[in-house]
Amino acid sequence: MTTVTTRTVSYPADGLTMIGHLALPAGVDRRPAVLIGPEGTGLNDFQRRRADALAELGYVALAFDINGGRWFTDPQEMLAHALPLLADPDRMRDIGHAALDVLRAEPRTDPDRIAGIGYGTGGAIVLELGRDGVDLRAIGTVNALTTGRPGEAARIRCPVWAGVGSEDPIMPAEQLDAFAAEMQAAGVDWRLVVYGGALHAFHHPPVDQAVRSGVGHHPQHAQRAWRDIVGLLDECLPVTASGEPTVTSGPSTRN
C-alpha cells in the first residue's frame, strides 16, 4: 500500500479556527489535489479517511472543516448551525476559499490541478466555489443539490457530477429539477446520478447519534458513489506522476 502522510492543519474561517485534515501521497513531487467538504455534522474519522484514500491514489487531499473543530452529535444542533450557513452563499464561499488557500499553499499541491468534492453542506460549499468562478478541474457532490443565485452557475468552469438518493426527503424531486435546470441553462457539463432506494446521508455509515427521519446508510450505494467520484477524478484529474489512480473500495466504515 502507498505510504500516506497525514497532519492536522489549523486556519481561520467564518470567525472560527478550522481544524482540517491533510493527507499526502508518497514522494516529493507535486501532485493533483482534491478539496473535500464534509457533511453538516463536521469532520470525524470517516471523513478523514476519505482524504487518506485519495492520497493512496496519489492525490494531495484536504478534508476541510466547517464547524470550528466540532462534530455535532445532536441533529438539532447541527441544523441550527448548517441551515443559516446554507442560506448564505457568501459565507460558504469564504469557508471554501479559506480551505482552498491552505491546499494551494501545500508545496506538494499542483495549484493548477485541483478538484473539489463534497457531501451535504460541504458539497454545497464546493458548488459555491464553482459558482464563484474558481478554476477547478472537477466538482463532485453527494446529497448537495443546492441551487445558486441567478446566472452564477455560468461561471462554473469544469464538469459537475452530483449523486442523490431517490428516497431523500431533504432533496425532493423539485430540488433535483431545479438543480438540473440551473446546470443546463448555464451550459455546464453536468451529470446527476439517482441511487434507487437510498435515503439522505446514504454514503455515511451509521453513527451513535439521535436518529433523524429520512436518514440512513446504504452500503452498496455508498460504495458505488465512491467509485463514481473516483471515476470523475480519474477522468478530469488523472494522477500521472507515478501511475494512474485505480478505484478502491473507499474509506473504511469503522467509526
Side-chain angles (χ1 to χ4, degrees):
M1 181 177 290
T2 303
T3 301
V4 170
T5 302
T6 65
R7 70 173 184 267
T8 298
V9 291
S10 300
Y11 58 96
D14 199 35
L16 301 168
T17 298
M18 299 300 187
I19 311 296
H21 177 80
L22 181 69
L24 303 175
V28 296
D29 56 327
R30 284 193 167 187
R31 295 295 183 89
V34 184
L35 193 66
I36 307 167
E39 295 84 351
T41 47
L43 285 178
N44 68 359
D45 284 345
F46 181 75
Q47 285 92 341
R48 295 181 186 98
R49 284 194 290 270
R50 287 177 178 145
D52 298 349
L54 291 177
E56 289 176 4
L57 295 177
Y59 297 98
V60 175
L62 174 64
F64 66 85
D65 184 14
I66 60 175
N67 297 335
R70 296 188 62 190
W71 188 70
F72 293 116
T73 58
D74 184 308
Q76 295 307 314
E77 189 178 14
M78 181 274 291
L79 289 172
H81 182 269
L83 292 180
L85 176 59
L86 289 167
D88 191 335
D90 292 323
R91 273 185 68 198
M92 288 194 284
R93 292 178 184 187
D94 287 346
I95 290 172
H97 277 289
L100 187 60
D101 288 346
V102 172
L103 184 58
R104 283 176 170 160
E106 164 55 46
R108 296 289 310 281
T109 295
D110 180 343
D112 297 321
R113 302 184 68 209
I114 298 176
I117 67 174
Y119 298 79
T121 303
I125 289 171
V126 171
L127 279 168
E128 282 304 319
L129 287 178
R131 295 184 182 109
D132 200 32
V134 172
D135 185 14
L136 299 172
R137 292 297 183 92
I139 293 173
T141 71
V142 179
N143 297 333
L145 297 185
T146 58
T147 52
R149 290 178 291 210
E152 291 190 338
R155 301 168 70 184
I156 295 175
R157 302 163 63 181
C158 64
V160 172
W161 177 95
V164 66
S166 69
E167 307 308 302
D168 184 346
I170 302 174
M171 301 283 156
E174 54 267 27
Q175 195 157 343
L176 274 68
D177 292 343
F179 177 82
E182 179 193 26
M183 294 294 113
Q184 188 65 20
V188 175
D189 177 2
W190 67 280
R191 285 169 281 175
L192 174 60
V193 176
V194 179
Y195 295 95
L199 296 168
H200 192 71
F202 71 88
H203 55 276
H204 198 293
V207 294
D208 296 329
Q209 66 181 51
V211 176
R212 289 177 56 203
S213 176
V215 173
H217 183 49
H218 194 300
Q220 292 88 353
H221 285 326
Q223 292 298 319
R224 289 164 180 158
W226 177 256
R227 289 196 295 267
D228 285 343
I229 285 176
V230 173
L232 173 74
L233 296 175
D234 192 20
E235 173 189 341
C236 300
L237 194 69
V239 176
T240 57
S242 59
E244 296 295 316
T246 57
V247 176
T248 71
S249 62
S252 166
T253 57
R254 299 189 308 274
N255 280 292

